[in-house]
Amino acid sequence: MDRKGFIDFNTRLSPENSGKADSYARAIMILDEVLPYQNVIDLQGRSLYELSDVAAIDDVLHLVNEEVKKMKNQQQNIFDDYGKPNQRSYPLKSFCSAALKSLKKYAEYEQEVVVADRIVAQETNPQTISKKLIAYFDITKEGEDQLSITKRRKGQDYFRRMILANYGGRCALTGISVPQLLLASHIIPWADKSHKKDRLNPCNGICLSALYDKAFDKGLFTISPDDYTIQLSSALREYGTQEYFDKQFGSISGKQITMPIEYKPNRDFLAYHRDHVFVGI
């Protein structure tokens, strides 16, 4: 585990969560600064990111909660004694506790990733990869109960991780490499139940920054299955007189996407997007 991975985990599929992700990372940094001064838990000089044992993170969470209680009761505590004055709001507003709970989920997810990575490494067929990942994350249920939502989220998180790695952590259109701004855009939408078997197919994803992910999802542009170039929708071209159009969209018209490291976008999937998602010439 590391800070970058933790932020990416909390950003998940929506850049709207990037504020929370950065706050959680800040809370972990604060804890890394003050925890060496306590003598309840021996961290052996390690950062919290090095605690892959979920039970160890639980122990730290219990300790932090006790110190926050002291803080609220105006008793001596590690945050007042060893923290910086401008850091008090993080433990008082429960950011530190929330960050540790998230770190625990991140540790559990990282353990699952090891198995998922092994599945991907052992297979060469993208459809087989998708089938085995769907089975591993057990996301065949379509229900909206909390368990099925959690399973689906884990599968989507891994899909994002896989797609961003395939594109070198950069948007295939702009080269932007800020994790909080990147998404794994499905070519055939996740909601299309006729293609459920390809939901975690690495050839069904493209790394795009937030603006272009939304435009692609809404069919405002498509990617040619013949030469991987961008074709803008007429619905988008209606705004061609606007100042932002040339900068944001005119500049990508006819441009070929940056090709991924291993799994190229499936041409049949791109044809499906053109025929069923794209909103017109």
Side-chain angles (χ1 to χ4, degrees):
M1 300 193 299
D2 57 32
R3 183 179 185 276
K4 182 179 179 181
F6 184 55
I7 290 176
D8 191 53
F9 175 76
N10 281 298
T11 303
R12 307 175 81 93
L13 297 176
S14 173
E16 296 173 0
N17 288 333
S18 59
K20 181 180 74 173
D22 290 336
S23 294
Y24 282 2
R26 171 74 172 165
I28 295 298
M29 184 188 74
I30 291 170
L31 291 172
D32 273 343
E33 290 177 355
V34 302
L35 286 174
Y37 296 98
Q38 55 79 36
N39 56 12
V40 178
I41 301 174
D42 184 7
L43 296 174
Q44 300 177 339
R46 294 174 296 173
S47 164
L48 290 174
Y49 292 121
E50 298 177 75
L51 300 182
S52 57
D53 183 0
V54 172
I57 298 175
D58 271 334
D59 290 341
V60 174
L61 176 60
H62 177 73
L63 169 65
V64 167
N65 286 339
E66 290 301 311
E67 292 297 319
V68 170
K69 286 180 183 177
K70 294 177 185 178
M71 194 178 192
K72 291 179 178 179
N73 292 328
Q74 298 184 339
Q75 297 173 332
Q76 186 175 3
N77 62 86
I78 58 174
F79 295 106
D80 285 339
D81 291 345
Y82 304 105
K84 299 173 184 177
N86 63 347
Q87 296 175 343
R88 286 177 52 87
S89 63
Y90 275 78
L92 283 174
K93 293 182 179 180
S94 300
F95 274 113
C96 291
S97 297
L100 285 169
K101 291 176 182 177
S102 182
L103 187 68
K104 179 181 174 181
K105 293 179 181 178
Y106 176 42
E108 293 170 341
Y109 173 67
E110 284 291 294
Q111 292 170 4
E112 293 179 325
V113 162
V114 172
V115 179
D117 281 347
R118 191 177 302 129
I119 290 172
V120 174
Q122 291 173 345
E123 298 295 339
T124 57
N125 186 314
Q127 287 188 322
T128 303
I129 288 173
S130 181
K131 179 181 179 180
K132 290 193 173 183
L133 287 177
I134 287 172
Y136 174 65
F137 288 108
D138 191 21
I139 54 175
T140 54
K141 277 188 67 177
E142 294 294 337
E144 290 301 317
D145 60 276
Q146 190 58 47
L147 181 59
S148 64
I149 291 173
T150 299
K151 290 177 179 178
R152 184 171 70 238
R153 173 63 71 184
K154 287 182 178 180
Q156 290 173 326
D157 281 346
Y158 187 78
F159 181 76
R160 180 177 188 274
R161 180 189 183 107
M162 186 167 51
I163 297 305
L164 265 62
N166 193 35
Y167 284 83
R170 295 182 178 275
C171 171
L173 288 180
T174 65
I176 287 175
S177 59
V178 181
Q180 293 94 321
L181 298 178
L182 298 177
L183 294 99
S185 303
H186 276 83
I187 301 171
I188 297 180
W190 179 283
D192 189 322
K193 295 182 180 180
S194 64
H195 289 82
K196 289 192 294 184
K197 67 181 185 302
D198 287 308
R199 283 175 168 173
L200 299 184
N201 186 327
C203 294
N204 190 32
I206 301 174
C207 180
L208 296 174
S209 55
L211 172 64
Y212 297 108
D213 166 78
K214 180 64 73 173
F216 188 65
D217 181 62
K218 297 300 182 182
L220 294 177
F221 75 85
T222 194
I223 300 171
S224 169
D226 300 317
D227 58 6
Y228 299 105
T229 57
I230 304 300
Q231 182 177 8
L232 301 182
S233 164
S234 56
L236 191 56
R237 289 188 177 279
E238 291 178 4
Y239 298 91
T241 58
Q242 300 296 319
E243 184 178 349
Y244 63 81
F245 179 86
D246 282 339
K247 182 178 180 181
Q248 304 294 346
F249 294 104
S251 61
I252 67 169
S253 181
K255 178 181 178 180
Q256 186 181 67
I257 66 169
T258 300
M259 299 309 292
I261 297 169
E262 185 173 2
Y263 303 104
K264 292 183 179 181
N266 183 289
R267 294 182 187 275
D268 290 337
F269 297 166
L270 291 174
Y272 182 94
H273 183 276
R274 177 195 61 198
D275 296 340
H276 298 279
V277 181
F278 188 49
V279 294
I281 301 299

